[in-house]
Amino acid sequence: MDCLREIEGKQAHDPIFIEKMNKSSTRCVRVPGPVIVGAGPSGLAVAACLKERGVPSTVIERSNCIASLWQLKTYDRLRLHLPNQFCELPLLGFPTEFPTYPTKQQFIDYLKKYADKFDVRPRFNETVSQAEFDQVLGFWRVRTVGPKVEETEYVCRCLVVATGENAEAVVPDIEGMEEFGGAIRHTSLYKSGEEFTGKRVLVVGCGNSGMEVCLDLCNHRAKPSLVVRDTVHILPREMLGKSTFGLSMWLLKWLPMRVVDRLLLIVSRLTLGDTARLGLKRPQLGPLELKNMSGKTPVLDVGTLAKIKSGDIKVCSGVKRLKRHSVEFFNGKTDNFDAIILATGYKSNVPSWLKEGNMFSEKDGLPRKPFPNGWKGECGLYAVGFTKRGILGASMDAKRIAEDIERCWKAEAFYGLC
């Protein structure tokens, strides 16, 4: 509690702070440990690792539940795309009865159990409007807005940004959206293809989500078409009896990345055939090299490619404009559709509320330093869930952050951290 007394002492002699508090109805909360913004898997992992080391934390979450992306914004048929051993959070494995690829609900249940085990109790329904380091006090000020528009300011030594890469849906501005007339929905609002039975649906985006939504629409007897604008690597989810991801990680221990990429592409060609003949051209760089350089994840096929081969899913070029219940493509063709699903991904929202210009890029809201060096900034600022390496990368950063904060927490140097 010495750090709290230090805050109070500094504030007592800070005329600007005193004047500000006298004029404001904002409730001020002095936090002994770090504030963690975001109660998704990344935020939970940091809180648990800190708890294990005896360091308290305060988790702030804008939604009304943990893992809101998983609970509120994912489709029903979703499963983890990677084997469960690569998706575990630190200090707690999956139940032995779970399948290799857990369902959405199984993963949510795991996260709830995780939060209970480590007694992580987020402050729900609080949206961070601004977080800024106070150079005079030497502490972070994290301002939130509650459901009744009440404001709270948390004052803390350390701030952990755990809002991740998928904080906000990316909705492209396509010409003619207002005159289309049918449903236009981002995948964050898509649950099941059941409501689209018998309808012609255009899915924009050919990543893992777009591919899987197309498959789900097929299974519910809809008539999906898939917009493919860019090159894409499609790999079988399993190769040679092992998960493609697991096999890749094992091969990288012994072989250069480019050699592993060649092996993956050879096996993919033998297993899936020439995807370019289906309108799915591959990038020049191999799947692992591309992922390492740009963060772009290859698609792990779970049955969609067979539907494309059979003609149940039609591949289209990029969308030029929308018209009344129809879409004009860049190749000059026009086709009629009843609905459009935007599988156009997500983005970070950090620049909208974090007031600092060194650690995070204002362009994409990601740490400027690439993995594995993007987890720590200046003045007690940390980032978790921005590695573009999924839960595995977030778990690695969570351990590093907890270790670093514990060292500062216990050492006398903590009080001169900044």
Side-chain angles (χ1 to χ4, degrees):
M1 300 299 290
D2 290 343
C3 66
L4 296 185
R5 285 195 290 270
E6 182 183 353
I7 298 174
E8 292 168 351
K10 288 184 176 182
Q11 290 175 345
H13 296 87
D14 181 1
I16 297 177
F17 178 84
I18 294 171
E19 182 181 1
K20 180 181 177 183
M21 286 297 103
N22 286 338
K23 293 181 178 180
S24 174
S25 60
T26 301
R27 183 171 67 101
C28 185
V29 178
R30 301 168 180 84
V31 178
V35 165
I36 301 171
V37 182
S42 299
L44 296 179
V46 175
C49 290
L50 287 169
K51 183 86 170 183
E52 190 74 2
R53 293 171 178 271
V55 181
S57 64
T58 299
V59 182
I60 299 173
E61 169 57 44
R62 65 181 176 178
S63 186
N64 62 355
C65 61
I66 64 168
S68 60
L69 180 66
W70 280 87
Q71 294 208 58
L72 306 177
K73 299 181 180 181
T74 51
Y75 42 91
D76 295 341
R77 65 157 285 135
L78 179 64
R79 285 178 175 266
L80 293 180
H81 291 126
L82 303 182
N84 56 30
Q85 67 263 35
F86 299 109
C87 300
E88 293 176 341
L89 297 182
L91 308 172
L92 182 66
F94 282 102
T96 55
E97 67 270 17
F98 271 27
T100 303
Y101 301 96
T103 65
K104 164 186 171 178
Q105 191 55 53
Q106 285 173 326
F107 186 58
I108 291 171
D109 291 342
Y110 164 76
L111 293 176
K112 289 180 178 179
K113 180 180 178 182
Y114 189 87
D116 289 342
K117 177 178 175 62
F118 297 102
D119 196 31
V120 181
R121 302 183 183 279
R123 302 193 180 196
F124 293 118
N125 299 308
E126 290 196 41
T127 301
V128 175
S129 58
Q130 180 174 306
E132 188 172 15
F133 185 72
D134 190 319
Q135 297 287 350
V136 176
L137 287 179
F139 290 85
W140 285 92
R141 296 174 184 247
V142 182
R143 179 164 293 210
T144 70
V145 179
K148 297 181 180 179
V149 201
E150 69 275 21
E151 291 188 343
T152 302
E153 186 172 78
Y154 297 89
V155 182
C156 55
R157 273 289 190 184
C158 299
L159 175 63
V160 181
V161 180
T163 48
E165 306 155 357
N166 303 318
E168 303 289 347
V170 174
V171 179
D173 184 15
I174 304 173
E175 183 182 345
M177 291 180 77
E178 65 284 347
E179 64 177 286
F180 176 67
I184 301 178
R185 188 176 305 173
H186 190 270
T187 48
S188 59
L189 301 174
Y190 175 93
K191 293 301 179 184
S192 167
E194 185 176 3
E195 65 177 296
F196 298 102
T197 298
K199 295 183 178 180
R200 295 169 59 98
V201 184
L202 182 67
V203 178
V204 180
C206 59
N208 279 296
S209 294
M211 290 284 194
E212 197 160 355
V213 165
C214 274
L215 181 60
D216 188 55
L217 288 165
C218 276
N219 291 341
H220 286 91
R221 300 184 302 282
K223 302 172 184 177
S225 295
L226 177 67
V227 170
V228 180
R229 295 182 304 167
D230 303 317
T231 55
V232 58
H233 276 302
I234 301 179
L235 307 176
R237 188 169 68 173
E238 296 185 344
M239 291 183 177
L240 308 176
K242 296 182 178 294
S243 77
T244 299
F245 183 81
L247 179 63
S248 301
M249 295 301 100
W250 183 79
L251 289 172
L252 286 173
K253 294 179 181 179
W254 314 100
L255 300 171
M257 185 178 293
R258 289 190 178 183
V259 175
V260 177
D261 270 339
R262 290 195 195 102
L263 293 174
L264 293 178
L265 291 175
I266 289 171
V267 176
S268 295
R269 178 67 177 256
L270 293 173
T271 306
L272 304 176
D274 182 8
T275 59
R277 296 179 61 183
L278 304 171
L280 302 164
K281 297 181 180 179
R282 292 189 181 277
Q284 292 294 320
L285 292 176
L288 298 182
E289 193 173 2
L290 184 64
K291 172 70 174 175
N292 190 53
M293 290 184 63
S294 69
K296 187 175 182 180
T297 302
V299 172
L300 297 177
D301 181 54
V302 292
T304 307
L305 208 58
K307 296 292 186 180
I308 294 175
K309 291 177 180 179
S310 68
D312 292 318
I313 298 173
K314 180 182 176 182
V315 174
C316 305
S317 66
V319 175
K320 185 176 182 179
R321 65 170 64 90
L322 306 183
K323 299 179 180 179
R324 183 68 178 174
H325 291 295
S326 67
V327 177
E328 181 182 343
F329 300 95
F330 277 112
N331 62 5
K333 295 182 179 180
T334 300
D335 212 341
N336 296 326
F337 293 96
D338 301 301
I340 297 174
I341 304 297
L342 300 173
T344 44
Y346 296 84
K347 64 180 179 180
S348 165
N349 68 357
V350 174
S352 69
W353 57 268
L354 181 62
K355 306 306 175 185
E356 71 86 43
N358 296 321
M359 184 176 185
F360 285 87
S361 166
E362 293 182 3
K363 182 179 180 181
D364 59 14
L366 303 178
R368 298 179 188 273
K369 294 181 180 178
F371 179 84
N373 301 311
W375 61 275
K376 184 177 180 180
E378 299 175 352
C379 302
L381 180 62
Y382 300 89
V384 60
F386 296 89
T387 64
K388 293 190 176 181
R389 284 163 174 78
I391 296 172
L392 182 62
S395 296
M396 294 169 64
D397 279 354
K399 295 174 185 177
R400 295 188 183 106
I401 291 169
E403 182 181 356
D404 196 65
I405 291 178
E406 180 198 25
R407 184 171 62 252
C408 296
W409 176 262
K410 292 183 176 180
E412 288 184 2
F414 178 78
Y415 302 108
L417 180 62
C418 300

